[in-house]
Amino acid sequence: MSRDEPLRTVFMPALVVLLRAAEQEKNAPLTEAEVHAIRDDAVCMTVPLSIASGLEGARGYPDISPEDCWREWLSVRERTAAE
């Protein structure tokens, strides 16, 4: 880890987990506004990329990007609905 290493936002718990739980609780698909509100209210921290990658590896799956969470959430929902 170096001082020049890029930083990455990591959600705790993962944003995809928060969205899945909210959708199950609602028992209906989340709207774009709801996805953004959940993202905006979620606990997160900024860590060096190497640490974020290690956390993702330990978790066993990637999280979705906070910057593109709506599009990525739709993709996750579509993939998991097919499983």
Side-chain angles (χ1 to χ4, degrees), residues 13-55:
L15 185 53
V16 72
V17 170
L18 295 172
L19 295 173
R20 187 176 319 274
E23 194 161 89
Q24 288 173 344
E25 183 177 317
K26 182 181 177 185
N27 202 28
L30 297 172
T31 65
E32 184 173 2
E34 289 169 327
V35 167
H36 289 149
I38 291 165
R39 175 205 56 197
D40 293 348
D41 290 338
V43 174
C44 62
M45 61 185 174
T46 304
V47 297
L49 183 58
S50 61
I51 292 173
S53 296
L55 291 170

Side-chain angles (χ1 to χ4, degrees), residues 1 11 24 26 29 38 53 61 63 73-74 78 81:
M1 178 171 62
F11 287 85
Q24 288 173 344
K26 182 181 177 185
I38 291 165
S53 296
Y61 57 88
D63 200 2
W73 172 242
L74 293 177
E78 185 177 304

Side-chain angles (χ1 to χ4, degrees), residues 5 8 11 13-14 18 37-39 42 52 54 58 60 65 69 75 78 80:
E5 187 174 1
R8 182 163 171 211
F11 287 85
L18 295 172
I38 291 165
R39 175 205 56 197
S65 162
C69 62
S75 177
E78 185 177 304
T80 56

